Amino acid sequence: MAENRYELNKQLAQMLKGGVIMDVTSPEQAKIAEAAGACAVMALERIPADIRAAGGVSRMSDPKMIKGIQEAVSIPVMAKCRIGHFVEAQVLEAIEIDYIDESEVLSPADDVYHIDKTQFAVPFVCGAKDLGEALRRISEGASMIRTKGEPGTGDVVQAVRHMRAMNAEIRRVQNLRKDELFDAAKNLQVPVDLLTYVHENGKLPVVNFAAGGVATPADAALMMQLGAEGVFVGSGIFKSGDPAKRAAAIVKAVTNFKDAKMIAELSTDLGEAMVGINEQEIELLMAERGK
Amino acid sequence: MTVAILALQGAFAEHGQMLDRLGVENFEIRQKRDLGRSFDALILPGGESTVMGKLLRELDLFDELRERIEKGLPVFGTCAGLILLAKDVEQGTPCFATMNLCARRNAYGRQLGSFHTDGVFAGDEKVPMTFIRAPYISKAGEDVEILAEVDGHIVAARQGNQLVTAFHPELDSDMQVYKYFMAMIEK
């Protein structure tokens, strides 16, 4: 992948900042999401809550379904491939997807190796629970990072944990002496040049979004106040009572994430939130896939 | 001099950093009460024009900003900001519609069509130009001055107090386009 292409891919993520990326399973849902103010949509056959309920092996979506969504909206369209499944990624690149999510929500295709994302022209977003995972994914070519909050649960606790862990580690790395970075890189199992960037800039070299378990405008604003640069909302919208209204409220809460008065208004009369499952009640922790 | 940056969605922070480098005071507009602060110019950043257009109306910013632009407030739109100012939009809905030109959204296709190049800006030196899922100007009225073209398409233009670029000067380190805008404000 040309150096220039990687820069352009990081820069597309910069354009998504301050926005909400919504999971959609049909052209109709994609249109609702676009009209509600989504800055991009994630095309997938089943939203994470249903993937979790259905069990079994979960794979890349049918290209026909993804193309239907690409035709329905004018905003960027993302799609998921399995961790390590570089042929699914090749297929998504062939249909000119705007961003590939190498995602733990789907069943991993490889339990050792992630995709070598430097071999692709299209950009990748990957999940990370902490700084080590984030920098490993970036060294493999990811041009955007998101938390690995537990998908399909409506429980924000894990996304919060990952965002706090990431930012605490970034602060720690910032405060190291330069000659301590080599040992820190060894311990984190990451390349020292990426760690040096974090040391000097106090942030990841790519955009960092929150994902997993965001179900309300207050959840979204919480993640923004904790340092997320934007938010993915999966099952939280189309598993709720009034998707269009909830989606629009989450979009506004992300823009004005520090204005409690406005978030109070936005949280009013939204209808039923997705039911949700607590972290302790689930058998499968998707965040443990791919480290 | 104080420049306000529309900060509803997109790459608004990058514009703030460029203005900081020039030593120009700036602040973000996220809601109606931010319009109460005094400012001499406005930047409309890159991002998704559909999102910004919707939030401008729902957060009740649209009427006042449109009126100020029509009355001569210097405004600089990049990428999505260009679309917000265009009178006509192919594959999209016009927003402020204060600039006499037609913008073609996603004119270079999807992300695989994004590219970086150099081009002459305002008849001067070459500037770096980064196009991210960018539009171009497919038609410009007679009162619009064309400032840059790439492959035969208009990618920067000015009409009185309004400046637009299809590319993102906030993503490169070159200051020429900002200096051009600063000169517009000072006049």
mmCIF file of all heavy atoms in Angstrom, chain A residues 218-236:
data_model
loop_
_atom_site.group_PDB
_atom_site.id
_atom_site.type_symbol
_atom_site.label_atom_id
_atom_site.label_comp_id
_atom_site.label_asym_id
_atom_site.label_seq_id
_atom_site.Cartn_x
_atom_site.Cartn_y
_atom_site.Cartn_z
ATOM 1 N N ALA A 218 -27.179 9.596 26.445
ATOM 2 C CA ALA A 218 -26.259 9.780 27.578
ATOM 3 C C ALA A 218 -25.058 8.836 27.471
ATOM 4 O O ALA A 218 -23.930 9.217 27.801
ATOM 5 C CB ALA A 218 -26.997 9.562 28.898
ATOM 6 N N ASP A 219 -25.286 7.597 26.998
ATOM 7 C CA ASP A 219 -24.163 6.667 26.763
ATOM 8 C C ASP A 219 -23.173 7.280 25.773
ATOM 9 O O ASP A 219 -21.955 7.255 25.976
ATOM 10 C CB ASP A 219 -24.651 5.343 26.136
ATOM 11 C CG ASP A 219 -25.362 4.427 27.127
ATOM 12 O OD1 ASP A 219 -25.314 4.705 28.339
ATOM 13 O OD2 ASP A 219 -25.970 3.441 26.660
ATOM 14 N N ALA A 220 -23.713 7.822 24.677
ATOM 15 C CA ALA A 220 -22.860 8.391 23.630
ATOM 16 C C ALA A 220 -22.069 9.574 24.188
ATOM 17 O O ALA A 220 -20.863 9.688 23.951
ATOM 18 C CB ALA A 220 -23.714 8.819 22.433
ATOM 19 N N ALA A 221 -22.734 10.443 24.945
ATOM 20 C CA ALA A 221 -22.064 11.623 25.509
ATOM 21 C C ALA A 221 -21.020 11.201 26.540
ATOM 22 O O ALA A 221 -19.956 11.817 26.650
ATOM 23 C CB ALA A 221 -23.090 12.560 26.125
ATOM 24 N N LEU A 222 -21.311 10.133 27.275
ATOM 25 C CA LEU A 222 -20.342 9.604 28.247
ATOM 26 C C LEU A 222 -19.043 9.209 27.536
ATOM 27 O O LEU A 222 -17.941 9.571 27.965
ATOM 28 C CB LEU A 222 -20.941 8.380 28.959
ATOM 29 C CG LEU A 222 -20.014 7.573 29.870
ATOM 30 C CD1 LEU A 222 -19.629 8.379 31.112
ATOM 31 C CD2 LEU A 222 -20.668 6.253 30.291
ATOM 32 N N MET A 223 -19.186 8.476 26.430
ATOM 33 C CA MET A 223 -18.001 8.036 25.701
ATOM 34 C C MET A 223 -17.229 9.230 25.128
ATOM 35 O O MET A 223 -16.003 9.241 25.116
ATOM 36 C CB MET A 223 -18.392 7.065 24.570
ATOM 37 C CG MET A 223 -19.019 5.745 25.021
ATOM 38 S SD MET A 223 -18.134 4.900 26.363
ATOM 39 C CE MET A 223 -16.517 4.679 25.638
ATOM 40 N N MET A 224 -17.957 10.240 24.669
ATOM 41 C CA MET A 224 -17.296 11.444 24.134
ATOM 42 C C MET A 224 -16.548 12.183 25.249
ATOM 43 O O MET A 224 -15.430 12.638 25.054
ATOM 44 C CB MET A 224 -18.318 12.376 23.485
ATOM 45 C CG MET A 224 -18.968 11.831 22.216
ATOM 46 S SD MET A 224 -17.823 11.540 20.846
ATOM 47 C CE MET A 224 -17.435 13.221 20.329
ATOM 48 N N GLN A 225 -17.187 12.295 26.421
ATOM 49 C CA GLN A 225 -16.506 12.982 27.524
ATOM 50 C C GLN A 225 -15.291 12.196 27.994
ATOM 51 O O GLN A 225 -14.329 12.762 28.514
ATOM 52 C CB GLN A 225 -17.478 13.221 28.694
ATOM 53 C CG GLN A 225 -18.496 14.306 28.397
ATOM 54 C CD GLN A 225 -19.148 14.872 29.657
ATOM 55 O OE1 GLN A 225 -18.586 14.833 30.744
ATOM 56 N NE2 GLN A 225 -20.362 15.390 29.493
ATOM 57 N N LEU A 226 -15.318 10.882 27.811
ATOM 58 C CA LEU A 226 -14.160 10.066 28.186
ATOM 59 C C LEU A 226 -13.063 10.109 27.123
ATOM 60 O O LEU A 226 -12.016 9.498 27.287
ATOM 61 C CB LEU A 226 -14.592 8.614 28.424
ATOM 62 C CG LEU A 226 -15.331 8.347 29.741
ATOM 63 C CD1 LEU A 226 -15.865 6.913 29.766
ATOM 64 C CD2 LEU A 226 -14.427 8.591 30.938
ATOM 65 N N GLY A 227 -13.312 10.804 26.012
ATOM 66 C CA GLY A 227 -12.240 10.998 25.038
ATOM 67 C C GLY A 227 -12.450 10.358 23.675
ATOM 68 O O GLY A 227 -11.567 10.436 22.823
ATOM 69 N N ALA A 228 -13.608 9.721 23.444
ATOM 70 C CA ALA A 228 -13.867 9.165 22.110
ATOM 71 C C ALA A 228 -14.005 10.317 21.120
ATOM 72 O O ALA A 228 -14.445 11.402 21.476
ATOM 73 C CB ALA A 228 -15.146 8.336 22.123
ATOM 74 N N GLU A 229 -13.614 10.072 19.867
ATOM 75 C CA GLU A 229 -13.717 11.121 18.850
ATOM 76 C C GLU A 229 -14.979 10.969 18.014
ATOM 77 O O GLU A 229 -15.247 11.769 17.115
ATOM 78 C CB GLU A 229 -12.466 11.091 17.957
ATOM 79 C CG GLU A 229 -11.195 11.398 18.745
ATOM 80 C CD GLU A 229 -9.946 11.415 17.892
ATOM 81 O OE1 GLU A 229 -9.408 10.324 17.633
ATOM 82 O OE2 GLU A 229 -9.518 12.498 17.485
ATOM 83 N N GLY A 230 -15.774 9.955 18.305
ATOM 84 C CA GLY A 230 -17.027 9.685 17.616
ATOM 85 C C GLY A 230 -17.544 8.357 18.147
ATOM 86 O O GLY A 230 -16.887 7.732 18.988
ATOM 87 N N VAL A 231 -18.718 7.933 17.661
ATOM 88 C CA VAL A 231 -19.369 6.771 18.270
ATOM 89 C C VAL A 231 -19.960 5.846 17.201
ATOM 90 O O VAL A 231 -20.571 6.317 16.245
ATOM 91 C CB VAL A 231 -20.498 7.256 19.221
ATOM 92 C CG1 VAL A 231 -21.287 6.084 19.778
ATOM 93 C CG2 VAL A 231 -19.922 8.099 20.353
ATOM 94 N N PHE A 232 -19.754 4.559 17.382
ATOM 95 C CA PHE A 232 -20.494 3.550 16.618
ATOM 96 C C PHE A 232 -21.712 3.135 17.444
ATOM 97 O O PHE A 232 -21.577 2.888 18.649
ATOM 98 C CB PHE A 232 -19.651 2.284 16.422
ATOM 99 C CG PHE A 232 -18.570 2.381 15.393
ATOM 100 C CD1 PHE A 232 -17.315 2.880 15.711
ATOM 101 C CD2 PHE A 232 -18.791 1.933 14.087
ATOM 102 C CE1 PHE A 232 -16.300 2.944 14.762
ATOM 103 C CE2 PHE A 232 -17.776 1.987 13.125
ATOM 104 C CZ PHE A 232 -16.537 2.496 13.462
ATOM 105 N N VAL A 233 -22.877 3.053 16.807
ATOM 106 C CA VAL A 233 -24.031 2.493 17.507
ATOM 107 C C VAL A 233 -24.533 1.307 16.701
ATOM 108 O O VAL A 233 -24.842 1.432 15.515
ATOM 109 C CB VAL A 233 -25.163 3.519 17.694
ATOM 110 C CG1 VAL A 233 -26.267 2.917 18.546
ATOM 111 C CG2 VAL A 233 -24.635 4.776 18.371
ATOM 112 N N GLY A 234 -24.564 0.150 17.337
ATOM 113 C CA GLY A 234 -24.961 -1.065 16.647
ATOM 114 C C GLY A 234 -26.418 -1.354 16.889
ATOM 115 O O GLY A 234 -27.321 -0.708 16.349
ATOM 116 N N SER A 235 -26.651 -2.317 17.770
ATOM 117 C CA SER A 235 -28.020 -2.786 18.023
ATOM 118 C C SER A 235 -28.872 -1.729 18.702
ATOM 119 O O SER A 235 -30.097 -1.783 18.654
ATOM 120 C CB SER A 235 -27.967 -4.032 18.898
ATOM 121 O OG SER A 235 -26.921 -4.869 18.472
ATOM 122 N N GLY A 236 -28.229 -0.765 19.365
ATOM 123 C CA GLY A 236 -28.927 0.226 20.188
ATOM 124 C C GLY A 236 -30.024 0.978 19.467
ATOM 125 O O GLY A 236 -30.986 1.419 20.083
#
